[in-house]
Amino acid sequence: MKNILLSTLVLLVVMSCKDKNATKERYLYDSNGSINHVSVVVENELWDGRVGEAIRDVLTKPTYGLPQDEPLFTLSQIPPKVFSDFVTKNRTILKLEMNKAPSIVFKDNVYAKPQKVIVVSGKTRQDIIDVISENGDKIVEVFRGMEIAERQRQMAKSQHKYISIKEKLGLTVQFASIYELAKERDKFFWFRKDITTGHSHIMIYELPYDAIEKNDSTVTQIIKIRDSIGQAYFKGRLDETVDADGNKVSSFMVTEDAYTPFHEETIIDNKPAFETKGIWELTNDFMGGAFINYTIEDKVNKRWVGLEGFVFAPSVEKRNYMLELEAIIKSVKID
């Protein structure tokens, strides 16, 4: 009898602990923070020295593919002694811990949700610097992945209703209803959203399977295709006007030659794809901006699927606009 009572008591204690843990998980606060904003929890003296420099070298290096230099992330330094209450709820946190074995740990939903907390430890300052430098690409990848997921979550609150995308292209892509249809052809869609000082664009299209060959000239092929699309659909304000000499002006979007595009192979929707970033401009005009292009190999349907975002936003930062476009493109699901 005593054994039965003891077993029952132990079981109740275990279940109580599980209930408390479940309750703690359920009642995590919602995370907050601006897009591309990272809180760095580190002592002032470390932040002002070589450790801080190592952090900034990784997290504030220029974002590739923008007309002007903009850092990957905006950083806020927080001394450990004031890291409590609402300041722990930021969505992305880099936390440094001294006098511990060198390591890096990636944690989810520690103080709020959704949240990514990266803890870097070391016995010395050089240990911390080495861990950060060796894992810089992974740190950036984790934080950017969180920001893309957050932007997708925000846009999901008000989804578009353009069912013809799925009907004509056999795919779905998620973006907010604020984007308006600018042009639609049989296998081509162009959507546009007005922003503070300009406009943001997304285009979705299909290419024949033989339109691109995977070889050393793939990036050149992709640039030629996007330039041909630009010439066909994205005309400048001076297009078809007549200049002072009586000549008809031709103005359309092309890839800027002076800026070498970034190009690499990647995976989108579990399919091989090419990522291309660069600068666009209008011929015979002064408009331009950044673009990001993903060309996806759809082997099942024997075709290529193209998704591109580009922005015109003079005199303002473009980093967050481009992250939104990347988030839209990476939401694609191909049937």
Side-chain angles (χ1 to χ4, degrees), residues 20 71 85 99 115 126 144 166 205 225 275-276 298 325-326 331 333:
K20 287 180 179 178
D85 299 327
N99 302 315
Q115 186 181 61
Q126 190 59 50
R144 288 201 82 251
K166 183 174 178 63
Y205 53 89
I225 289 170
E275 176 187 2
T276 309
D298 183 8
L325 294 173
E326 183 176 348
S331 73
K333 300 295 180 185

Side-chain angles (χ1 to χ4, degrees), residues 4 10 130:
I4 294 174
V10 171
D130 291 342

Side-chain angles (χ1 to χ4, degrees), residues 203 205 207 210-213 215-234 252-257 261 263 276 279 291 293 295 308:
M203 62 181 182
Y205 53 89
L207 297 171
D210 60 0
I212 296 174
E213 295 184 11
N215 53 38
D216 293 341
S217 69
T218 301
V219 61
T220 302
Q221 298 172 55
I222 291 173
I223 293 301
K224 285 183 178 179
I225 289 170
R226 75 169 306 276
D227 285 351
S228 67
I229 291 173
Q231 184 171 6
Y233 295 113
F234 302 101
F252 53 87
M253 183 175 70
V254 296
T255 306
E256 184 178 315
D257 291 333
H263 180 76
T276 309
I279 306 299
F291 76 84
N293 177 291
T295 305
E308 177 169 322

Side-chain angles (χ1 to χ4, degrees), residues 244-302:
D245 297 324
N247 300 313
K248 184 177 289 188
V249 175
S250 177
S251 181
F252 53 87
M253 183 175 70
V254 296
T255 306
E256 184 178 315
D257 291 333
Y259 191 96
T260 303
F262 167 86
H263 180 76
E264 71 173 8
E265 295 184 33
T266 186
I267 299 293
I268 299 291
D269 189 33
N270 296 316
K271 297 173 179 61
F274 295 104
E275 176 187 2
T276 309
K277 296 179 181 179
I279 306 299
W280 64 272
E281 64 179 354
L282 289 179
T283 60
N284 298 310
D285 205 338
F286 299 101
M287 293 178 64
F291 76 84
I292 180 168
N293 177 291
Y294 285 89
T295 305
I296 306 168
E297 185 179 11
D298 183 8
K299 295 180 181 178
V300 173
N301 297 302
K302 299 298 181 183

